[in-house]
Each structure stands twice: as C-alpha cells, then as structure tokens.
DNA sequence: CACGTCACCTGCGTGC
DNA sequence: TGCACGCAGGTGACGT
C-alpha cells in the first residue's frame, strides 16, 4: 500500500505516537520477539534474528525511499511494507497480565521492556524485515530521494536523458528514484501533463523541471494529508480525496472535462487524461 | 540495456 | 448465497 508519503506518515507516528494512542517506539528496549511467519525475515532465521535483536534499544526511526529505518544500539532494523503492510504500537498485555492476542495477518511482533509492542501486519506476505550491521547493504541500491534538495533539476534532467525508458516505469524504478509508487506517479504525470509512455530521454529541460516540481508537490501534499487511505488497508490519511486521476477512470478530468482513461503501462493500472497528457509530443 | 511475464499472497468488489 | 474472476499502494527473477 504505502508509497513515500504513507511510509513517512508511519515513521512520524512511530516517533510521536499519533495513530497509536500516544505510544511510540523511541528508546524502547526489545526484550522478546514473536515471528508468526518465518519468511518475513529477509536475511536471518527467526532464531538468529531474535538472538541478535533482543537487548537492543530503538534510538531513532527514519525513512529511505519506502523503507522504514530503525537505528538500534548496534544494528539497523529495516522494514519494507510492500503492498499491504502496516505497523501498530500497542500495549502487549491485558489487565490480567496475559499477552494480548495479535491480530489476523500479524507476521512479526517486537515486545518492549515497557510492556508495549510493535506489530508488523502484512496480509499479502510481501513485506520484509532485515536486521543488518550496515544499512547500505540493503539501501545502497536505491536512487536519490525525490524530496532531497540536492537532487537538482540539472541532475534529474541528466538522469532522464541517460535512459531510454517509458517514463512511468522509470519513475517507479526504485534504483532510479526512491519512493514513488503507482498512485503518486500517476498524479505527478497528470500534473506535469506528461504521458506515462513518453520516452524519458525525449523530455525537454523544461519538462524535466516541471516533472520534478510536480513530483515534489504531490509527495509533500500526501505527507501533509498523512498519506492516502485506500481499500481496507492503512487507514489514516485522506489524500485519496484529492486524486485527480488515480482510480478515477470514466470520471471527468478536473482540468479539461475529458473522461479519464485507464490503461496498462508496464503491467500496472495507469490513469490519464488523454487530452492533457497526449503521447504525440510537440513541445 | 529495455521490456514483458510471472511469481509471490490475501481479500475485496463485481457480475453471473 | 455462491463462485469465478479481475483487481490491488511492490519488487525481483527470468527470458527475449
């Protein structure tokens, strides 16, 4: 479910307690682990993961692309929620002292010294968790952060020029740029008036500049609105009410009144206004 | 290098 | 009500 704004929203809630009745994970010491689905752990067995993580304290939580980054005393815990993951912080024990039952589809839980816990819920089992000494082992392959100001228009344009790929799949390629997913890419392309099948190397510098600006705009707006809530997973944000094209096939383009179309690009459902986002360039 | 296809999973909405 | 089918915020391994 989550793209950059949703992951950012989750990170902030883990730090400040919003969404979790004020409970947060900062300075919580991990005392026990529950692994409910072994393959959640990407690089360690449940036994090794448990041995290594127990006793460590969460010092900091941050984000890189769509990864959650938990800085521990010694190691780094990385989580990727993929399509359907979510996290909860909650009291781990009932008033009578018994351990509160985990939820359906919870795949991993970290119990804290405080009696609280962090639960990793993941219906589709695509999400993964890593425990590593050097976060770069996993994060090193990622492209730049779209909101990082050190990604200049010049750099972004050069990156697009260097590749000969369909624009939308390229923007969603985490090695190229880290954080965009299907929704925010469709929204950014609509706002930049670019067709998802445009070849990246054909963009003018002005088009690259506009695209970068609109990518940042939709991501920032998503963060400001606490992300998007779609379907039955991850409720909390309300940016979905402001989508211009995503999930709006057949509805009217807010800019020109043309019917929004749904097509497939790189096997992903894609939403465009055929009038505002023509494929035949000429600019 | 770029692209298409499939695999990984569960659940929801739709249409018959 | 049941059931088959298509679809879903993601990614990586293949084959061409």
């Amino acid at each position: 479910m989550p793209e950059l704004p949703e992951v950012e929203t989750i990170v902030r809630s883990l730090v400040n307690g919003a969404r979790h009745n004020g409970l947060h994970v900062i300075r919580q010491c991990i005392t026990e682990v529950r692994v409910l689905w072994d393959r959640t752990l990407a690089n360690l067995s449940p036994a090794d993961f448990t041995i290594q993580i127990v006793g460590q304290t969460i010092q900091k939580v941050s984000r890189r692309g769509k990864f959650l980054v938990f800085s521990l005393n010694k190691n780094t815990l990385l989580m990727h929620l993929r399509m359907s993951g979510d996290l909860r912080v909650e009291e781990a024990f009932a008033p009578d002292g018994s351990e509160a039952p985990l939820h359906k589809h919870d795949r991993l839980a970290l119990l804290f010294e405080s009696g609280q816990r962090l639960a990793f819920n993941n219906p589709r089992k695509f999400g993964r968790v890593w425990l590593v000494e050097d976060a770069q082992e996993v994060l090193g392959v990622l492209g730049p952060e779209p909101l990082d100001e050190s990604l200049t228009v010049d750099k972004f344009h050069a990156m697009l020029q260097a590749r000969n790929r369909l624009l939308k799949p390229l923007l969603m390629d985490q090695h190229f740029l880290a954080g965009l997913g299907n929704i925010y890419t469709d929204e950014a392309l609509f706002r930049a008036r670019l067709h998802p099948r445009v070849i990246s190397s054909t963009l003018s510098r002005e088009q690259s500049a506009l695209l970068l600006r609109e990518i940042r705009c939709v991501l920032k707006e998503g963060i400001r609105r606490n992300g998007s809530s779609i379907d039955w997973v991850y409720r909390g944000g309300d940016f979905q009410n402001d989508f211009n094209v995503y999930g709006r096939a057949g509805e009217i383009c807010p800019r020109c009144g043309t019917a929004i179309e749904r097509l497939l690009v790189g096997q992903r459902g894609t939403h465009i206004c055929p009038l505002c986002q023509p494929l035949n360039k000429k600019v």
Side-chain angles (χ1 to χ4, degrees):
Chain A
M1 84 43 208
E3 302 181 36
L4 187 155
E6 289 75 34
V7 177
E8 180 66 27
T9 299
I10 291 170
V11 165
R12 292 180 184 186
S13 73
L14 292 174
V15 170
N16 66 26
R19 281 180 89 221
H20 306 298
N21 296 318
L23 306 184
H24 64 82
V25 304
I26 302 300
R27 285 185 297 285
Q28 297 256 28
C29 179
I30 299 158
T31 52
E32 281 187 76
V33 175
R34 304 275 180 265
V35 182
L36 297 108
W37 194 67
D38 288 3
R39 283 202 281 150
T40 300
L41 304 176
N43 69 325
L44 293 174
S45 68
D48 287 341
F49 179 86
T50 302
I51 287 170
Q52 291 184 35
I53 203 170
V54 164
Q56 297 204 55
T57 296
I58 297 173
Q59 308 288 0
K60 179 184 167 193
V61 185
S62 56
R63 177 190 62 72
R64 175 75 173 94
K66 301 174 191 171
F67 285 83
L68 292 115
V69 182
F70 296 78
S71 302
L72 312 178
N73 306 44
K74 187 173 183 304
N75 296 332
T76 303
L77 177 70
L78 299 168
M79 294 189 179
H80 198 303
L81 304 173
R82 293 278 176 89
M83 292 284 269
S84 63
D86 200 5
L87 292 168
R88 302 189 315 278
V89 187
E90 61 193 12
E91 297 295 344
F93 298 95
D96 67 2
S98 66
E99 190 169 335
L102 286 160
H103 295 193
K104 187 175 186 184
H105 305 314
D106 280 349
R107 310 299 182 192
L108 175 72
L110 304 179
L111 308 204
F112 300 133
E113 198 167 30
S114 64
Q116 295 164 9
R117 71 184 173 203
L118 176 66
F120 180 90
N121 189 270
N122 191 210
R124 289 173 71 180
K125 297 182 174 176
F126 292 167
R128 291 292 181 270
V129 172
W130 294 254
L131 184 64
V132 293
E133 295 200 354
D134 178 4
Q136 284 305 106
E137 294 171 32
V138 177
L139 306 180
V141 299
L142 294 178
E145 283 290 317
L147 294 179
D148 185 341
E149 293 300 325
S150 70
L151 176 61
T152 61
V153 170
D154 281 342
K155 273 191 203 170
F156 186 59
H157 187 235
M159 286 163 58
L160 290 165
Q161 293 295 304
R163 311 299 295 275
N164 251 338
R165 291 183 55 185
L166 301 185
L167 186 54
K168 177 176 174 178
L170 180 61
L171 293 174
M172 290 179 63
D173 183 340
Q174 302 300 297
H175 307 285
F176 179 78
L177 190 67
L180 283 181
N182 205 35
I183 293 179
Y184 291 88
T185 303
D186 276 6
E187 293 298 317
L189 288 172
F190 169 76
R191 296 170 66 132
R193 304 184 184 231
L194 290 167
H195 193 283
R197 287 194 213 271
V198 165
I199 301 298
S200 58
S201 59
T202 67
L203 291 209
S204 67
R205 193 198 139 86
E206 290 66 38
Q207 288 175 316
S208 298
L210 177 61
L211 177 57
L212 181 59
R213 188 180 329 139
E214 297 301 344
I215 286 170
R216 287 176 166 160
C217 187
V218 294
L219 292 177
K220 285 178 182 170
E221 184 63 7
I223 291 170
R224 197 182 69 75
R225 302 285 290 274
N226 294 316
S228 316
S229 307
I230 310 265
D231 295 345
W232 80 109
V233 208
Y234 185 64
R235 287 158 293 274
D238 60 359
F239 187 52
Q240 71 282 0
N241 299 320
D242 283 345
F243 292 165
N244 285 303
V245 288
Y246 183 83
R248 296 196 184 283
E251 294 179 39
I252 279 176
C253 168
R255 200 155 49 200
C256 76
T258 302
I260 305 295
E261 287 179 3
R262 179 182 184 279
L263 49 153
L264 275 182
V265 181
Q267 340 295 87
R268 304 301 303 273
T270 298
H271 312 76
I272 66 165
C273 168
L275 201 63
C276 296
Q277 298 166 267
L279 184 48
N280 63 348
K281 36 204 115 334
K282 173 90 227 105
V283 174

